[in-house]
Amino acid sequence: MTRVLFWLALVFLVLFAIRSKIRGMQQRARAQQQQQRPNPFTPPGRPQELPDAELMLCCAHCGVYYPASENVQAKGHDYCSHAHATL
């Protein structure tokens, strides 16, 4: 009877050791995965600075909105290109 209890205890200890080893590997994998990919619901430590938005204008000919840096003025109106300014 003592031999049976000894072997049962040995099997139990081996299974317990294997189970704890697997849990440790899973926890390390989760920690590594969280370090590589931050949680999208937590705010970042340092907010990213966004570039200033540029003013958008509407072309008097076609109605397309375009950046003010590409503006072509003619006859007191704003146009998106030289071709529309000449029409």
Side-chain angles (χ1 to χ4, degrees):
M1 184 71 179
T2 307
R3 287 183 187 173
V4 172
L5 289 176
F6 170 75
W7 286 110
L8 285 174
L10 184 63
V11 168
F12 175 76
L13 288 174
V14 169
L15 290 176
F16 181 76
I18 292 172
R19 186 176 175 196
S20 66
K21 183 73 171 177
I22 290 172
R23 279 188 183 171
M25 289 171 41
Q26 287 175 343
Q27 287 176 350
R28 274 186 253 120
R30 276 192 218 118
Q32 185 180 20
Q33 195 175 37
Q34 286 178 352
Q35 287 176 351
Q36 291 176 353
R37 182 179 44 154
N39 187 353
F41 300 110
T42 57
R46 190 173 134 221
Q48 297 177 356
E49 294 183 21
L50 298 176
D52 292 335
E54 190 173 353
L55 178 65
M56 301 294 284
L57 301 174
C58 181
C59 179
H61 179 71
C62 63
V64 171
Y65 284 90
Y66 58 93
S69 61
E70 300 175 11
N71 187 29
V72 177
Q73 284 190 340
K75 305 174 201 159
H77 295 288
D78 297 322
Y79 296 97
C80 62
S81 65
H82 291 288
H84 285 183
T86 57
L87 290 177

